[in-house]
Amino acid sequence: MRRGGTLARRLVLQPLPPIRLRRRGDEVTVEIPAETVAELDGLTAAAEDAEDAPPAPIRLLPGEVTMSRRVKFALVNGCTVTSIAFGMTAMLLASQGQDMVKWAALCLLGSVLMDALDGPLARKFGVASPFGLQMDSLADMCSFGIATPIVVYQWLHGDAPVALVAAACGLVAVCAAIRLARFNVSPKDGRFFSGVPTTMSAAVLVIATVLIPRPDEAVVPTIVLAGVVGALALLMVSSFPYVKLNQLRKLPTVLWILPALGALLDLQATFVIVVALYLVSGPLLWVKHRRRAGSAA
């Protein structure tokens, strides 16, 4: 119930002293005690004052408000705002033509970096807040749900059927919105993502744009790249479990050395193989978990 409600609401919440009824023959007399009249006058005045009062300011920073915490809060949300600025810059650059697509993709890599910083910094500084969570989701939608498919469309549309590329990029935008909304209302798992994260999907697309500035020179046909974009969008809203990056650090050292050596030999091919292995790992883990649950039952 909002502050400064109507008189009727206040009467419901705050009962008045009793009103007495006296019956004399066929006549009924209502006697209102003096304290009841005073209470009604007080409630009326309070309600009128509350209706005229300005709304109370909303506190964005929970907990103790000190200058140090204000600065930390501003720094964390500054990362989020910078991510939005990078996304806007990427869209403006992509609108200038295919020659600027690579620079637009580099701006989106800046958005990925800012997105990787704001959450950990908020937790480290102790300034995590519901406001920051909402800002982060809106920034992700701007940079990864809107700017990224625009850049990818500009990257692919000259070498693949326009309708196919437009559908794939539109699917990225829709699935990014669903993925972000679902993440905000879902319980958190410390080991797995449910579906490919929006940031990771965008990172894959923009890195591909940087590594392969001319899609017709890719190791796979351009029409296949458009299909991969659509598949990546669907994987964002899937329920496949994907290992979080902090869990990947536990892999044996040799599994980190092999991609590094492969990158020295053929960077594009190594990137495609590593991304494909990660995307396939989700369905494989899903099947493994289903079999384990079936055997336990």
Side-chain angles (χ1 to χ4, degrees):
M1 186 174 295
R2 67 182 177 87
R3 188 176 177 180
T6 61
L7 176 61
R9 289 175 179 157
R10 297 204 170 206
L11 290 174
V12 172
L13 292 177
Q14 186 172 348
L16 298 172
I19 297 175
R20 293 187 290 272
L21 300 178
R22 294 185 180 277
R23 183 165 188 155
R24 297 175 181 175
D26 295 333
E27 296 183 357
V28 177
T29 305
V30 179
E31 294 185 356
I32 303 177
E35 62 269 21
T36 302
V37 175
E39 184 72 18
L40 283 171
D41 291 340
L43 283 174
T44 303
E48 290 175 352
D49 292 341
E51 290 290 346
D52 295 336
I58 299 173
R59 290 185 57 186
L60 303 182
L61 175 60
E64 184 182 4
V65 180
T66 62
M67 182 56 67
S68 174
R69 297 190 78 239
R70 285 178 184 271
V71 171
K72 292 174 181 177
F73 185 73
L75 176 62
V76 169
N77 286 281
C79 292
T80 309
V81 171
T82 303
S83 175
I84 297 174
F86 274 132
M88 282 296 302
T89 305
M91 286 187 276
L92 294 174
L93 289 173
S95 67
Q96 302 302 310
Q98 201 159 12
D99 293 339
M100 302 299 291
V101 165
K102 184 175 181 178
W103 294 105
L106 290 173
C107 285
L108 290 176
L109 284 178
S111 292
V112 172
L113 177 61
M114 291 297 104
D115 185 66
L117 286 176
D118 58 5
L121 283 178
R123 291 186 289 272
K124 179 179 177 63
F125 293 155
V127 292
S129 66
F131 171 80
L133 175 65
Q134 298 304 319
M135 277 290 293
D136 185 64
S137 290
L138 292 172
D140 287 353
M141 188 60 207
C142 173
S143 298
F144 309 138
I146 298 176
T148 297
I150 288 176
V151 172
V152 171
Y153 175 82
Q154 194 67 264
W155 175 50
L156 292 178
H157 82 281
D159 300 286
V162 173
L164 177 62
V165 176
C169 292
L171 195 60
V172 170
V174 172
C175 292
I178 296 172
R179 175 72 173 77
L180 291 168
R182 187 181 70 178
F183 177 80
N184 285 346
V185 298
S186 299
K188 305 302 182 283
D189 188 319
R191 298 175 303 160
F192 299 102
F193 295 114
S194 179
V196 178
T198 309
T199 306
M200 187 177 296
S201 174
V204 168
L205 293 174
V206 298
I207 290 174
T209 306
V210 172
L211 293 180
I212 315 168
R214 294 185 57 85
D216 55 348
E217 297 177 358
V219 294
V220 296
T222 307
I223 194 170
V224 174
L225 290 176
V228 170
V229 172
L232 198 55
L234 294 175
L235 287 175
M236 282 195 288
V237 296
S238 71
S239 57
F240 296 140
Y242 284 94
V243 178
K244 292 190 173 182
L245 296 182
N246 59 356
Q247 299 294 315
L248 293 177
R249 291 182 296 183
K250 301 176 183 179
L251 292 174
T253 307
V254 65
L255 294 180
W256 289 100
I257 295 176
L258 287 177
L261 293 176
L264 294 175
L265 298 175
D266 191 329
L267 184 57
Q268 289 186 18
T270 303
F271 172 74
V272 170
I273 291 171
V274 170
V275 170
L277 288 175
Y278 185 78
L279 296 181
V280 170
S281 70
L284 293 178
L285 282 172
W286 181 81
V287 171
K288 179 181 177 181
H289 292 169
R290 290 293 296 268
R291 286 181 176 176
R292 184 179 298 173
S295 60

